[in-house]
Amino acid sequence: SQTIHQWPATLVQPVGSPLSLECTVEGTSNPNLYWYRQAAGRGLQLLFYSVGIGQISSEVPQNLSASRPQDRQFILSSKKLLLSDSGFYLCAWDRGFSNSPLHFGNGTRLTVT
Amino acid sequence: QQQVKQSPQSLIVQKGGISIINCAYENTAFDYFPWYQQFPGKGPALLIAIRPDVSEKKEGRFTISFNKSAKQFSLHIMDSQPGDSATYFCAATLFYSGAGSYQLTFGKGTKLSVIP
């Protein structure tokens, strides 16, 4: 069966520090991969998606970046965090078909202080 | 045109009552309409989904009603229970030629609280 791992679960970082969140998917190949951000009590904001290794599309201009160094690995990074980067970050994957369920990880709660 | 509008933003229902969440869309190219359920501190998970050629789909206490002509769909939770308290997102899939793939557009979510 397919599983998605996302870590860490919580993270507290000072303003200006770097960030690296990692997500890996097991049990499937060539998935579409996504990074979403959810502010407290708010909806799901799509940040990045990838349909293949090295292929990254950005939905929102910001100081975050994403990379996909391997087929089932998706990394979210920042060189210098801002207070506004605080939120709940969710990695997800699907098969890219019309009726393909989107499978989410359990998220990383990031607090920038 | 890519939006899915969801209402209400929050909903309080008595235990045993019916919870109703509504969504509307404009783009007729959307071709699959799932609902996701999210508990606090967790990622959303697929709850139930419907194709636009079907007017209703029922799974246990959860029912999707779909009105293609009105471009609206709704989630009904019958006999609502405190364990149903969560945030619910409607969504719609669309083919993006640039990506060569279908992707989801989410509504903004409804926070449901079922009180005993």
Side-chain angles (χ1 to χ4, degrees):
Chain A
S1 64
Q2 303 94 353
T3 55
I4 179 169
H5 301 281
Q6 190 180 342
W7 68 92
T10 59
L11 190 60
V12 180
Q13 293 284 96
V15 169
S17 64
L19 173 74
S20 181
L21 301 180
E22 189 166 340
C23 171
T24 60
V25 178
E26 295 179 355
T28 189
S29 59
N30 196 31
N32 286 357
L33 296 171
Y34 304 84
W35 279 111
Y36 285 86
R37 178 170 59 198
Q38 190 174 28
R42 302 292 294 277
L44 299 162
Q45 180 187 31
L46 178 62
L47 301 176
F48 300 95
Y49 69 91
S50 171
V51 298
I53 296 174
Q55 300 178 59
I56 309 295
S57 296
S58 173
E59 292 294 308
V60 182
Q62 63 226 321
N63 70 319
L64 299 172
S65 62
S67 62
R68 184 172 178 173
Q70 300 180 42
D71 181 44
R72 290 169 290 176
Q73 183 184 30
F74 207 21
I75 298 172
L76 182 69
S77 304
S78 174
K79 292 182 179 178
K80 289 185 177 182
L81 284 169
L82 306 173
L83 286 174
S84 58
D85 291 325
S86 293
F88 191 46
Y89 288 81
L90 290 156
C91 182
W93 74 271
D94 70 10
R95 299 297 299 156
F97 304 127
S98 172
N99 61 348
S100 172
L102 187 60
H103 303 275
F104 286 87
N106 279 329
T108 294
R109 176 75 58 192
L110 172 66
T111 303
V112 182
T113 60
Chain B
Q1 226 190 0
Q2 311 293 53
Q3 288 184 333
V4 178
K5 296 182 180 179
Q6 182 172 349
S7 63
Q9 189 173 357
S10 63
L11 181 62
I12 300 175
V13 174
Q14 291 273 1
K15 178 183 176 180
I18 302 173
S19 304
I20 302 175
I21 304 171
N22 300 298
C23 286
Y25 63 97
E26 288 296 325
N27 192 339
T28 56
F30 286 134
D31 70 352
Y32 195 64
F33 299 87
W35 286 86
Y36 284 77
Q37 179 188 53
Q38 183 183 27
F39 293 106
K42 300 294 184 182
L46 178 65
L47 180 64
I48 187 173
I50 195 168
R51 287 208 172 278
D53 55 349
V54 176
S55 61
E56 184 175 283
K57 183 173 182 180
K58 183 176 181 179
E59 290 184 1
R61 295 183 294 109
F62 299 90
T63 299
I64 301 177
S65 297
F66 191 87
N67 186 329
K68 188 174 182 178
S69 60
K71 292 184 282 188
Q72 296 176 348
F73 59 111
S74 59
L75 177 69
H76 297 236
I77 306 174
M78 311 299 289
D79 187 26
S80 298
Q81 299 297 313
D84 297 330
S85 297
T87 299
Y88 292 82
F89 294 93
C90 64
T93 63
L94 184 67
F95 185 77
Y96 287 82
S97 57
S101 174
Y102 284 88
Q103 291 185 15
L104 279 170
T105 297
F106 284 97
K108 293 189 180 298
T110 297
K111 184 175 182 180
L112 171 65
S113 299
V114 182
I115 54 178

